Amino acid sequence: MIAGLLDGIFNGISIGAVLLIAALGLAIVFGLMGVINLAHGELMMLGAYTTFVVQNGFKMLGKPWSETYIIFALILAFLVTAAVGLVLERGVIRYLYGRPLETLLATWGVSLILQQFARSVSWVLVIGIAIFCFLFFGALWVLSRRPDFERIRNWVIAIMLPISLGVASATGAFLGQTYKLAVTKPWFGAQNVDVTAPNWLRGGLRLGTLQMPYTRLFIIGLTIVCVAGIYVFLQRSPWGLRIRSVMQNRSMSACLGIPTAKVDAITFALGSGLAGIAGCAISLLGSVGPNTGQNYIVDTFMVVVVGGVGKLVGSIVAAMGIGTINYLISSKVLVPMVAPIKPLVDLFEFFGTTSMAKVMVFALIIAFLQVRPGGIFPQKGRSVDA
Amino acid sequence: MILDAVLEVKGMKQQRKRLLLMEVGVTIAIALLLIFVMPAVLTGFRLSLLARFLALAIAALGIDLIWGYTGMLSLGHGVFFALGGYALAMHLQLAPLKNGLPEFMSLFGITELPWFWQPFYSFGFAAAAVVIIPALLAAILGYLVFRNRIRGVYFSILTQAATIVFFNFFNGQQGFFNGTNGLTNFKTLLGASVSNSQTQFVFYTLTVLFLAAAYALCRWLTSDRFGRVLIAIRDDESRMRFSGYDPTGFKVVVFAISAALAGIGGALFTLQSGLISPKAMDIAFSIEMVIWVAVGGRASLIGAIFGALLVNFAKSLLSEKFPGIWVFFQGALFLIVVTVLPDGVVGWLRYQGFQHLLTLLGRNKQVATYPSLEEDPEVQHERENIRN
Amino acid sequence: MARRLGRRKFLLYGSATLGTSILLKACSSTPPSSTSETASPTAASPSPSATTVAAAGGGNTIKVGILHSRSGTMAISENSVVDAELLAIEEINKAGGVLGKQIQAVEEDGQSDWPTFAEKARKLIDQDKVVTVFGCWTSASRKAVLPVFEEKSHMLWYPVQYEGQECSKNIFYTGAAPNQQIEPAVDWLLQNKGKKFFLVGSDYVFPRTANTIIKEQLKAKGGETVGEDYLPLGNTEVTPIITKIKAALPDGGVIFNTLNGDSNVAFFKQMQGAGLGPDKYPVMSVSIAEEEVKAIGTEYLKGQYAAWNYFQTVDTPRNKQFVEAFKAKYGPDRVTNDPMEAAYIAVYLWKQAVEKAKTADDLESVRKAAVGQTFEAPEGTVTMESNHHISKFVRLGEVADDGLFKIVYETKAAVKPVPWNQFVAATKGLGCDWSDSKKGGQYKI
């Protein structure tokens, strides 16, 4: 009985930890900025692919290094996705602040593009994109020094867009013709790629009949570190102070000299970077492929909504709660406990598969929101009605 | 009410009537064009595409009603769409049987027709269910959600989660709904063979008529005071609440109507594509529905229809030309629409396109000193009638 | 005053309109359908396609359709099948084509979306006027296009192992039927690994049907099903399943795995983490081939089993040639697998049928000519049977250190396909024979 209980608690927490680490970045971007980032899952996917690349790089270095790649992968995944997030924020999101539903559509577009990018990225594509960016944005940059730039801007775009596109695709086609497979072969392809945990992360810690997988422990640890890190960053650092002040009152902060645009960019990059770390973590448990991110997006949003938007502690409690309940229902461990009551047994048997458990969990979430519409820890004050 | 007083001005009423008549005329003309001219112009395959996209346009109207006019972004309309489809498909499965079970059920060890399949022997019931089941579900879900003033983004996320739930449910119940395969291989409807080209043409005509009817319904809903209530909810719900209205009821009604429209669209789509599967409850499909409206133009009924046709034809053509990489275009479309064309194509034409054309032709933009005056109907009316 | 439409009145009117619209729907759809009833027999008359297709015969090319998901969730598997089909077409074209004509492949993207599959199938047949289509992976997509092919009396070559319980005149199945993959695997496990089975599958039709078959088979042969569970497609949280396995099989037992795609990766990674190794918990998979092994990581799979008809390691000269040609075209790090081989076979069998019929356009004679065709495939010599499935060799492989399979069992001769399952009560005693017009797709043996 005790072992079963321990087992339940551990498994619930470990499922919750995966949910939480995936939801952390979202909680920041969505909770603090009000941006619905449907590309969050794809940022996780980028993190996972980064892990794959780092792993292969370290494999070449030989034994002592190949066992430690995960540490470097975590750092690099954070940096890569943070950079992508920064580009995303500067390029798209910043035009959409205050219109959360439109960020939703825009980021869905981004997620489609990123997915297809992971499938078909090859040297030809990368070179083509580089040439296009060089020509198009280069021309814009050069011409932006002219005093009459505003007037000719539309013309420049109208002329440079087809030219750059043409040159880029022509170069791509030429390269494809000359070097064939070497440049046209996709880097990753549509197939999943393999990320293998280092030896010290395989197997598990045995406690009686209970075995705790090391990867799970690692992820729980990583989640704790991330949560603590975010807490310290937001509460103790000067940038954290600025972020909080911008989120509370944007115009007042701007009046007081806080660079709000920079704060936005940093917040979004931080959220994206956390997605990268989450991607690295889940690559130890699940698949790494173009569809990796899709599997997490709804679950993570539910965590944020149930927890209460803008409250880290809410997300933590919600993730653990959803994880544990999901585990309890889908593993049917509750069935023996309610054995005397026949209808309950039937109910739990019916929902006792992994896919049906999701149905039940959602029903519970709706019911919960009936009682507490604002989540577990609702925000207080008038700003709630924004 | 001031606005009502303005509208009562003599002459105004007649003008409104004239405009309305014109609109009715144009709608009928377009419907006739679609029914009689299009089959002659398009190849059979393209016509079947058009027929299906028109069915999707009905669902798009529903989305426009709740998103464009009421400001609630539902990311779960695929569920209602699919429920409408399933309701009709269940009848189509049973219709040729008279007795016995659909084939898939016996394969999964079900020996007796489940009780909730029984009523679908009757076509009347199935047809009613196409409308009522989605509407009822939407009403219940909507009531639970709106009662608590859950709105905006939270509403979107909840509806999105609902798609997952229904997807899993229909996917997992292999014996009841044939799981991922969905219901397919329809034979007859009311005695007529479904795959027959004449029957398909009848379906097409029906789709056009339903689209026209749906358009009329939405037009009627949005043009009157009810429409203004919806817009008020969209623009400032709190203020509306303070003025003594309770938005919950309105929102529930609109949500239900829009779900019913999606259900009708789903049923017509199912008839013409020959299958309904849980894929229609996929998140991606529901978001796609929203993008049709966004492309066409929010808060514009024509825009919703136009957007649904445009996006789907573009998707169909692009994926023919560029299999594999057309997703890039689709993603780019989302980005472009949201950043460059926030009002959609129709909205752009309405607000900016005309001006743009004028400036291109060398005529400068007329700048209004007081833009709000330009939009005031009273001022417009005085200008037209009092100047001379 | 008409303007003063109150809220309550609106609700009233609203529900009234809803009601009338329902009525309208019920009424308006009745008369037109009944008028078209008279017309239906003419359209139902057999094989209108012979005339429609004939138009495509002109010129120096023969158009064939390729219909797979190039985007969406299924692209992961279907892309490589397209590669194999294109390879076969290229080879045939280099060798002079079919009937002296070059084959031109028209590619369409099914987008992992079943209505789109039906739409594209229609497009290939009506607009491109292809003479045959190679395509589909999931059962759902096949079921979606089936009415289209039957309506147009056209031809589809389906290259994936599937759950059976279908036998269409218009489809040629070059993948395994359950008795060519699942049933021998269960038999072998019963003899060599144990009597207690836990069934794990993705939540869609193939695993569910496969597990229905397995359960019946175990009942008949003295095994025991101790539990089963299904994961939603793409789900990667398998902790609850592992708990169930541990509870149901505390001392070890056989796990039969019909998971598909991403879930497999999570399943094997987390199985290892939980300490369930192949020594006590051997896993037999039917959806894991060389490509998936590469994607999951050999470290996690070593010692586990898979059942297929073809492995890259099959030792025939024909297979060496196939693997070499494939690697030359797509890169040395690519691997070949069973569905790819089946797709490769499909193209060649079609070619042979066309050559025997001396026409590509008359689908009826091509169909007739296809039955009985033999082809020296990479897996061994296969024959197209009269039930439109092919006889195949059954092999069981164990994952070796290099990520390829060590073949631990293989049938001496090709196994004849049985599409209607003989373990499931509903289809027991049913057979399929398209060469005999009296028997058709479903007859009592």
Side-chain angles (χ1 to χ4, degrees), chain A residues 273-333:
Chain A
L274 285 169
I277 291 186
C280 186
I282 57 154
S283 71
L284 298 175
L285 288 180
S287 59
V288 180
N291 307 324
T292 299
Q294 289 285 298
N295 306 328
Y296 291 89
I297 196 73
V298 170
D299 290 343
T300 49
F301 268 115
M302 293 318 291
V303 167
V304 178
V305 168
V306 170
V309 173
K311 292 280 183 179
L312 269 184
V313 83
S315 298
I316 297 170
V317 175
M320 295 305 153
I322 293 179
T324 312
I325 291 173
N326 200 341
Y327 173 77
L328 290 181
I329 295 172
S330 56
S331 66
K332 287 198 209 174
V333 289

Side-chain angles (χ1 to χ4, degrees), chain C residues 64-390:
Chain C
V64 301
I66 290 187
L67 177 58
H68 285 285
S69 301
R70 304 306 302 262
S71 58
T73 44
M74 289 313 297
I76 209 170
S77 316
E78 296 190 49
N79 269 342
S80 50
V81 175
V82 177
D83 289 344
E85 281 160 4
L86 290 178
L87 173 71
I89 291 174
E90 192 186 279
E91 283 178 5
I92 294 174
N93 279 342
K94 269 192 190 146
V98 189
L99 303 175
K101 292 178 187 173
Q102 294 282 299
I103 306 174
Q104 183 195 350
V106 183
E107 222 183 288
E108 279 295 343
D109 181 2
Q111 304 169 12
S112 311
D113 180 51
W114 322 144
T116 309
F117 264 97
E119 176 199 319
K120 298 292 185 191
R122 229 172 259 279
K123 186 234 163 203
L124 284 171
I125 296 171
D126 283 352
Q127 190 149 314
D128 299 318
K129 311 246 186 266
V130 299
V131 295
T132 185
V133 176
F134 302 98
C136 298
W137 177 292
T138 58
S139 295
S141 63
R142 191 190 67 248
K143 292 272 186 203
V145 298
L146 179 66
V148 179
F149 281 92
E150 286 189 343
E151 178 197 329
K152 313 262 178 202
S153 171
H154 217 273
M155 194 192 294
L156 170 75
W157 294 78
Y158 176 70
V160 184
Q161 123 275 7
Y162 82 120
E163 69 278 6
Q165 313 292 43
E166 184 182 295
C167 190
S168 169
K169 185 185 176 191
N170 304 90
I171 302 183
F172 288 101
Y173 309 80
T174 57
N179 77 312
Q180 294 169 310
Q181 183 189 25
I182 294 172
E183 292 171 18
V186 172
D187 285 341
W188 185 82
L189 286 170
L190 279 173
Q191 277 164 22
N192 296 297
K193 292 292 169 183
K195 303 276 180 207
K196 288 186 168 178
F197 280 59
F198 193 97
L199 313 178
V200 183
S202 290
D203 202 354
Y204 74 113
V205 67
F206 169 68
R208 291 225 177 225
T209 319
N211 287 349
T212 314
I213 294 172
I214 295 170
K215 276 188 280 185
E216 295 296 330
Q217 193 184 351
L218 287 177
K219 230 183 269 168
K221 301 213 167 157
E224 188 190 349
T225 315
V226 292
E228 62 182 315
D229 201 356
Y230 298 93
L231 280 175
L233 271 177
N235 192 30
T236 51
E237 189 54 78
V238 297
T239 310
I241 287 192
I242 288 173
T243 305
K244 280 186 196 166
I245 292 177
K246 276 187 182 164
L249 296 169
D251 305 315
V254 182
I255 299 167
F256 205 96
N257 164 27
T258 41
L259 287 171
N260 198 337
D262 296 356
S263 307
N264 263 321
V265 188
F267 180 68
F268 283 105
K269 281 184 178 173
Q270 295 176 33
M271 280 280 284
Q272 195 181 60
L276 309 183
D279 46 336
K280 271 176 77 184
Y281 295 90
V283 181
M284 174 67 78
S285 310
V286 289
S287 299
I288 291 185
E290 284 81 353
E291 287 215 308
E292 285 75 24
V293 174
K294 234 176 80 176
I296 296 169
T298 318
E299 298 291 330
Y300 295 107
L301 278 173
K302 223 181 290 169
Q304 306 287 25
Y305 299 94
W308 288 108
N309 307 111
Y310 166 86
F311 292 108
Q312 190 179 322
T313 42
V314 168
D315 192 20
T316 62
R318 185 73 183 81
N319 182 40
K320 273 205 190 82
Q321 195 189 334
F322 171 58
V323 173
E324 262 166 34
F326 188 83
K327 291 197 172 195
K329 188 165 160 68
Y330 297 106
D333 55 339
R334 291 288 299 272
V335 287
T336 57
N337 65 22
D338 182 280
M340 283 152 81
E341 191 243 11
Y344 185 80
I345 293 178
V347 178
Y348 271 100
L349 279 179
W350 168 78
K351 175 203 161 217
Q352 289 180 6
V354 167
E355 277 170 351
K356 189 184 169 200
K358 300 209 171 54
T359 167
D361 304 326
D362 183 4
L363 300 182
E364 206 52 53
S365 18
V366 176
R367 240 192 298 277
K368 281 215 180 77
V371 173
Q373 287 297 331
T374 58
F375 173 61
E376 197 203 334
E379 70 180 68
T381 305
V382 297
T383 316
M384 176 58 73
E385 301 290 331
S386 60
N387 54 20
H388 286 195
H389 291 61
I390 63 176

Side-chain angles (χ1 to χ4, degrees), chain A residues 30 36 96 100-102 105-106 108-109 112-113 116 120 298 301-302 309 355-356 358-359 362 369-370 373 385, chain B residues 73 144 147-148 151 153-154 156-157 161 165 168-169 173 238 283-284 287 298 324 328 330-331 334-335 338:
Chain A
F30 179 44
I36 307 187
L96 301 173
L101 297 182
E102 297 188 358
L105 295 179
W108 178 257
L112 286 181
I113 292 177
Q116 190 61 35
S120 49
V298 170
F301 268 115
M302 293 318 291
V309 173
S355 61
M356 291 308 281
K358 276 202 163 177
V359 178
F362 176 75
L369 288 178
Q370 290 299 304
D385 225 25
Chain B
L73 178 57
L144 291 178
R147 194 181 64 124
N148 286 311
R151 58 194 161 97
V153 175
Y154 306 100
S156 304
I157 293 172
V165 169
N168 277 345
F169 192 80
Q173 296 309 310
S238 312
I283 299 173
I287 297 185
R298 258 178 284 168
F328 280 127
Q330 199 191 15
F334 276 70
L335 281 177
V338 172

Side-chain angles (χ1 to χ4, degrees), chain A residues 138-150:
Chain A
L140 279 188
W141 183 73
V142 168
L143 289 172
S144 67
R145 290 157 171 230
R146 287 174 60 126
D148 59 346
F149 178 65
E150 281 305 316

Side-chain angles (χ1 to χ4, degrees), chain B residues 29-85:
Chain B
I30 291 179
L32 289 178
L33 184 86
L34 282 173
I35 295 174
F36 293 109
V37 182
M38 277 309 183
V41 180
L42 292 175
T43 61
F45 169 66
R46 295 278 171 230
L47 189 73
S48 73
L49 282 188
L50 178 68
R52 255 173 287 159
F53 297 161
L54 286 174
L56 296 179
I58 299 179
L61 277 177
I63 298 258
D64 200 16
L65 205 58
I66 56 160
W67 186 39
Y69 287 93
T70 324
M72 305 184 288
L73 178 57
S74 161
L75 295 182
H77 255 53
V79 172
F80 307 125
F81 184 89
L83 284 176

